[in-house]
Amino acid sequence: MSVFAQTSASPVPKTKDVKRMATFYAAILVVMAVAQLFSFDDFLKLVTDFGFPGGVRAGYFLASFLVTVEVFAIPFLLRMSLSPAFRWVSMVCGWLVALIWAKITIWLVIKEGIVDNVGFLGTSVPVMPGVWAVFISIALGILAAWASWGMWPGRRK
């Protein structure tokens, strides 16, 4: 018995499309995380300007947590050799990215006119909020579900 976690190969994707969609979702997350980290100080201010309950501390936590789950979702999507536990964590992080962005975009649509940047690409590239941003979040959720379905880390029958 070893104290350290043992890595295992990722499950074989169910279809070739799953492999492509997971890689596409990983590429989107990489671009988002790099753009958000490039101007992270301004990204923190942007998220606090959204006006979430909890004030500045909640905004800072949300921004930091969002970038962290974007980065942690990438190993599962790229089918890296991981321990079984971290494969599950990475898959759930992919779901959390879509859920957090859905919460943010729906909040910005409800609170119309609070800010003029959603923050998908940090503050480097301003992206206007609106109903279309909610659809982008839904698309991220579809990509996460598709990747999870095709590369489910549990046992298959």
Side-chain angles (χ1 to χ4, degrees), residues 103-117:
K103 175 186 174 186
I104 290 172
T105 55
I106 290 170
W107 178 266
L108 292 177
V109 168
I110 291 171
K111 300 286 187 177
E112 187 176 331
I114 292 178
V115 294
D116 55 351
N117 185 4

Side-chain angles (χ1 to χ4, degrees), residues 84-103:
F86 191 73
R87 190 173 314 281
W88 283 99
V89 168
S90 185
M91 181 181 69
V92 170
C93 285
W95 299 342
L96 285 175
V97 169
L99 289 173
I100 292 170
W101 277 116
K103 175 186 174 186

Side-chain angles (χ1 to χ4, degrees), residues 16-36:
K16 290 181 183 178
D17 290 336
V18 169
K19 191 175 177 182
R20 286 187 210 130
M21 289 300 126
T23 305
F24 178 64
Y25 187 37
I28 290 171
L29 293 182
V30 166
V31 168
M32 289 171 66
V34 168
Q36 291 161 3

